[in-house]
């Protein structure tokens, strides 16, 4: 009897003994992946940690994927390298790029939709604080995730950088009467010159301002004001 | 030091008006700095006579200032006095903007003053008698009193000033008394030491009390100028005889009449104010423009230096009284004036006792400069680069690549490409930081280095201004036969070409004047 038991203990553990039914290699690899939690792990790092051969690792990963114990994730820092994560974890911001990234690419459509909604809110209210815009967006329930005030602030800031809206501090007077003095708010740039489209700088309005060859241009050179094709095109436009 | 294309533009402007020799002398002084006559002759390889004539013209046209200093000699030798010549770059570039100065005089003082002013622009320096004589030769001449009256109005507006001393003597710095040294020691630590050129200009400048005064007449221009001691005059005359023969002596050194010239400083001040008002009017509102215009009108005469950071403080009542005199200002009440002041960055005082306001002009200039450069970035590198550049300008510190990407919503791989391009072209400064840890990581940090970038931008603007001038000349050369034809022969194809030339000139010349506004924004304001 004991010999049979001894013999059986020397044998490889039967798969049914592991709670998930994994063999040793698969368990070792799964543990390595789980240990990285929401950061994920690169295939080569798995091989280094577990000291298993390429063939064994690849086979085990395939098995774990089929059993839906792990998933493949795109690491925004290294899109070309295959990374794996245990299914119970969501990729951290460092890996995924944050809520604005999908499969390692910027979700431009999402960003544009939110920008348009923010602009509509500001258009209606004339002057809006971050809180008002955030409340407005939450009410509309356009996105299927819980949008945070921080995320709305990021969208508004990027529009300020694009000069689509301006950031001002409430003076408490006129259109700011309902906003406490000193509170940051957002509005469209309402200067008279803006409406007339006079925002382009004087230097940028002439060919030299936009010219990529200005450092090569000389009075008598091959590229010169008298031979410049950009000037010729510009002067032939019907003003 | 003046940048490469600043020098080329100045040389071109001098060449257009006074010929190639004068241009060569001007370029030599701009490239090499202040020089003696012998050095100028050596570097330009022009004859002594030509160089002397050019210097006379350039001094007369206020583009060069002479001064004398004591040269170091070996122990026991008599002190040697040397004349040096420094170029006045700003005055040279002002030649491009004479139409703007004339417009200011025309709008403020009218046609009669404009006539006198034009003469001073053209001739550089004139005495009052020369101004009167010149007027007598014009078809619609006025009597002597009318001319003196117009001249007096120009002086009162500070548009015209007394010419500086032709060749002041700069005493060596060691000659300061010990008592004076002790008293100013702490002040000296705070101030940067003055260059010899700054000292020369200060010494040459007439005293403020007589700068715009017509009544005082002097027997000899040299003896009344500050910084000149009587014993130096004999030495100076001796020195002049070495450099210039009696026949060659600069007329401004010999003549006893006071010479007058355009006071460029006042025009630059007016244009600075105009730029601030225009910026505020476009960015904020017409009313904010009216309020700023009122404040600057009131505070202009109290500005002691050109690049004043803040306007003098004015009370709300004084501001209001000036506002209602302006076009569009009559309908404004105190509340609207206060609202405009808040738009201009002022804070309403909590107590009503001492309600005064002052405007941060330096901030307005900086905002205008930022917008000008941002416009160029947008045109040259696109919208994403524009967002990135604005982020870095606003933050004013080093930011890491990922942080820039996240804040501007630009794809991470594109962010790095754009940053490298901007860095390569001199718009950004980059620093590498490596972090040692479980994994070695290299971070790239970026920022806008305004000081060096502004110098590059200014040089490119000088380059662009020169290009516009050269293109105007080229277009006119191309059609020179048409310009010589009488109007009745301009038909058909010739008429078409003539009209095209006219259109092209308008575009190029108006673009040049606009670009000049931007040039002044970076150089003079």
């Amino acid at each position: 009897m004991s010999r049979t038991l001894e013999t059986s203990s020397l044998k490889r553990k039967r798969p049914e003994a592991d709670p998930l039914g994994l063999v040793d290699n698969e368990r070792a690899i799964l543990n390595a992946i789980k240990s990285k939690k929401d950061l994920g792990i690169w295939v080569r790092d798995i091989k280094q940690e577990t000291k298993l051969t390429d063939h064994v690792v690849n086979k085990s990963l395939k098995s774990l994927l089929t059993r839906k114990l792990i998933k493949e994730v795109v690491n925004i820092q290294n899109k070309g390298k295959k990374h794996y994560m245990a299914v119970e974890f969501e990729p951290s911001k460092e890996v995924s790029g944050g809520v604005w990234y999908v499969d390692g690419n910027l979700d431009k459509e999402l960003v544009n939709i939110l920008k348009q909604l923010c602009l509509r809110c500001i258009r209606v209210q004339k002057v809006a604080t971050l809180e008002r815009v955030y409340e407005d967006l939450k009410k509309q329930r356009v996105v299927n995730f819980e949008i945070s005030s921080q995320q709305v602030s990021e969208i508004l800031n990027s529009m300020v950088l694009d000069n689509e809206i301006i950031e001002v501090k409430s003076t408490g007077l006129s259109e700011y009467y309902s906003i406490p003095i000193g509170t940051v708010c957002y509005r469209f740039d309402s200067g008279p010159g803006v409406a007339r489209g006079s925002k382009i700088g004087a230097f940028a309005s002439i060919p030299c301002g936009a010219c990529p060859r200005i450092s090569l241009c000389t009075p008598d050179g091959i590229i010169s004001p008298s031979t410049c094709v950009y000037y010729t095109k510009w002067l032939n436009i019907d003003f | 030091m003046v940048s490469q294309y600043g020098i080329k533009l100045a040389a071109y402007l001098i060449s257009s008006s006074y010929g190639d020799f004068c241009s060569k002398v001007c370029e030599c002084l701009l490239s090499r700095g202040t020089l003696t006559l012998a050095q100028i002759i050596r570097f330009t390889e022009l004859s002594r006579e030509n160089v002397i004539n050019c210097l006379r013209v350039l001094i007369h046209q206020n583009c060069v200032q002479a001064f004398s200093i004591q040269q170091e000699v070996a122990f026991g030798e008599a002190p040697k006095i040397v004349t040096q010549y420094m170029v006045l770059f700003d005055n040279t570039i002002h030649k491009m903007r004479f139409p703007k100065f004339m417009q200011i005089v025309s709008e403020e003082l009218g046609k009669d003053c404009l006539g006198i002013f034009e003469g001073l622009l053209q001739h550089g320096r004139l005495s009052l008698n020369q101004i009167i004589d010149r007027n007598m030769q014009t078809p619609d001449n006025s009597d002597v009193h009318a001319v003196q009256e117009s001249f007096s109005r120009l002086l009162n507006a500070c548009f015209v000033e007394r010419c500086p001393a032709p060749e002041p003597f700069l005493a060596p710095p060691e000659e300061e008394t010990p008592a004076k040294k002790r008293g100013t020691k702490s002040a000296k630590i705070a101030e940067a030491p003055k260059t010899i050129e700054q000292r020369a200009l200060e010494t040459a400048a007439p005293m403020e009390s007589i700068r715009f005064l017509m009544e005082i007449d002097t027997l000899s221009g040299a003896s009344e100028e500050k910084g000149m001691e009587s014993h130096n005059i004999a030495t100076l005359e001796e020195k002049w005889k070495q450099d210039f023969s009696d026949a060659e002596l600069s007329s401004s050194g010999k003549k006893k009449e006071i010479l007058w010239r355009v006071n460029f400083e006042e025009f630059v001040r007016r244009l600075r104010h105009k730029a601030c008002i225009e910026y505020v009017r476009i960015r904020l509102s017409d009313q904010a423009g009216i309020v700023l215009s009122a404040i600057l009108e009131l505070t202009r005469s109290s500005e002691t230096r050109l690049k004043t950071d803040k306007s003098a403080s004015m009370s709300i009542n004084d501001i209001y009284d000036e506002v209602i005199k302006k076009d569009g200002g009559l309908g404004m009440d105190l509340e609207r004036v206060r609202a405009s002041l808040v738009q201009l960055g002022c804070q309403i005082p909590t107590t009503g006792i001492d309600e005064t306001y002052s405007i941060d002009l330096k901030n307005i200039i900086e905002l205008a400069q930022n917008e000008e450069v941002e416009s160029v970035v947008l045109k040259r590198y696109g919208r994403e680069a524009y967002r990135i550049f604005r982020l870095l300008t606003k933050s004013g510190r080093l930011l890491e690549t990922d942080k820039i990407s996240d804040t501007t919503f630009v794809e991470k791989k594109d962010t790095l490409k754009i940053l490298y391009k901007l860095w390569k072209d001199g718009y950004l400064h980059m620093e590498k930081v490596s972090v040692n840890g479980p994994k070695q990581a290299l971070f790239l940090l970026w920022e806008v280095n305004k000081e060096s970038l502004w110098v590059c931008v200014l040089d490119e603007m000088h380059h662009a201004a020169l290009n516009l001038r050269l293109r105007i000349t080229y277009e006119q050369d191309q059609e020179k036969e048409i310009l010589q034809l009488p109007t009745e022969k301009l038909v058909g194809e010739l008429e078409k070409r003539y009209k095209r030339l006219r259109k092209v000139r308008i575009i190029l010349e108006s673009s040049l004047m606009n670009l000049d506004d931007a040039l002044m924004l970076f150089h003079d304001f």
Side-chain angles (χ1 to χ4, degrees), chain A residues 106 154 158 160-163 171 191-194 201-204 208-209 214 217 225 232 234-235 237 239, chain B residues 5 281-284 342 372 375 379-380 383 386-387 390 402 409 411 463 467-468 471 474 503 507 511 514:
Chain A
L106 183 67
E154 288 172 8
S158 85
V160 169
L161 291 176
D162 247 336
N163 232 343
T171 59
V194 172
F203 187 24
C208 303
I214 190 166
C217 166
T232 307
W234 178 56
L235 292 170
I237 297 169
F239 283 88
Chain B
Y5 271 95
R281 202 184 60 77
I282 288 174
R283 283 277 149 273
L284 301 177
V342 167
E372 193 63 49
S375 244
K379 265 284 169 100
R380 281 190 193 172
R383 189 140 280 279
Y386 171 74
R387 266 202 312 277
R390 269 173 61 82
D402 278 352
F409 288 98
E411 290 262 18
H463 190 167
N467 281 355
L468 283 165
R471 187 73 189 210
Y474 168 77
K503 179 193 96 174
I507 294 166
S511 297
N514 273 347

Side-chain angles (χ1 to χ4, degrees), chain B residues 171-176 181 188 199:
Chain B
E174 299 81 49
E175 283 187 11
E176 276 185 63
K181 254 189 184 170
K188 270 190 183 170
R199 286 178 58 216

Side-chain angles (χ1 to χ4, degrees), chain B residues 76-314:
Chain B
E77 280 186 30
K80 201 178 168 198
I81 296 188
V82 162
T83 304
Q84 296 201 321
Y85 301 89
M86 58 177 279
V87 70
L88 303 173
F89 173 72
D90 292 359
N91 288 0
T92 311
I93 301 296
H94 285 326
K95 294 196 180 295
M96 205 167 61
R97 44 187 78 114
F98 282 177
K100 289 184 182 177
F101 299 165
M102 281 165 52
Q103 193 186 4
I104 292 173
V105 171
S106 171
E107 280 170 1
E108 205 167 302
L109 300 179
K111 210 179 76 168
D112 293 337
C113 293
L114 181 62
I116 296 173
F117 186 72
E118 261 182 297
L120 283 167
L121 283 176
Q122 189 191 356
H123 292 275
R125 305 174 171 210
L126 291 169
S127 67
L128 187 51
N129 283 332
Q130 284 173 320
I131 291 170
I132 292 167
D133 288 343
R134 205 180 147 267
N135 176 260
M136 304 271 254
Q137 286 159 27
T138 56
D140 51 342
N141 60 72
S142 325
D143 68 26
V144 174
H145 292 293
V147 174
Q148 282 178 337
E149 170 63 33
S150 297
F151 184 74
S152 189
R153 288 172 67 207
L154 282 165
L155 273 179
N156 289 339
C158 301
F159 288 152
V160 168
E161 64 175 359
R162 196 179 279 236
C163 284
E167 193 178 317
F169 174 72
L170 298 192
E174 299 81 49
E175 283 187 11
E176 276 185 63
T177 62
K180 201 174 168 188
K181 254 189 184 170
R182 277 198 300 273
T184 56
K185 194 177 174 186
S186 54
K188 270 190 183 170
I189 292 164
E191 284 173 17
K194 287 193 182 137
T195 61
I196 197 166
E197 286 83 8
Q198 283 169 324
R199 286 178 58 216
L201 288 175
E202 274 178 17
T203 315
M207 285 184 287
E208 274 308 306
S209 51
I210 58 165
R211 193 175 164 198
F212 305 107
L213 206 56
M214 191 161 53
E215 280 77 34
I216 293 175
D217 203 0
T218 55
L219 290 174
S220 158
S223 62
E224 288 286 337
E225 303 302 341
K226 68 174 187 227
M228 291 285 273
E229 293 168 13
S230 53
H231 74 265
N232 280 330
I233 297 166
T235 330
L236 199 62
E237 283 178 353
E238 195 49 46
K239 191 71 217 46
W240 280 351
K241 280 173 187 163
Q242 284 171 31
D243 273 1
F244 299 73
S245 68
D246 276 325
E248 291 169 339
L249 260 175
S250 158
S251 59
S252 56
K254 272 268 186 178
K255 274 209 167 99
K256 293 184 171 51
E257 285 185 277
I258 303 166
L259 289 178
W260 304 92
R261 68 175 190 179
V262 169
N263 175 18
F264 294 120
E265 187 187 319
E266 182 62 23
F267 287 95
V268 174
R269 179 176 289 115
R270 301 279 178 130
L271 289 170
R272 184 177 192 244
H273 289 180
K274 195 173 163 193
C276 289
I277 294 163
E278 195 57 22
Y279 180 83
V280 150
R281 202 184 60 77
I282 288 174
R283 283 277 149 273
L284 301 177
S285 63
D286 284 335
Q287 286 158 341
I290 292 170
V291 169
L292 181 59
S293 173
I295 293 174
L296 292 176
E297 186 83 41
L298 291 169
T299 59
R300 188 171 54 226
S301 52
S302 62
E303 278 186 22
T304 48
R305 52 188 206 93
L306 193 46
K307 295 186 182 183
T308 321
D309 285 358
K310 286 186 177 228
S311 72
S313 289
M314 301 303 305

Side-chain angles (χ1 to χ4, degrees), chain B residues 36 48 78 107 138 145 168 194 222 366 370 413 434 465 507 510:
Chain B
T36 61
R48 183 187 162 85
E107 280 170 1
T138 56
H145 292 293
K194 287 193 182 137
E366 278 177 1
N370 286 351
K413 60 176 178 359
S434 62
I507 294 166
S510 60

Side-chain angles (χ1 to χ4, degrees), chain B residues 392 397-404 416 419 423 428-434 442-448:
Chain B
L392 289 169
R397 58 187 177 89
L398 286 160
L399 289 180
E400 194 266 322
T401 315
D402 278 352
K403 173 77 183 166
I404 294 169
L416 198 52
L419 288 167
W423 168 74
L428 301 180
H429 165 72
M430 185 242 289
E431 275 183 27
K432 289 184 185 173
V433 172
S434 62
L442 180 69
F443 292 99
L444 298 176
L445 307 177
W446 313 83
E447 69 176 350
V448 172

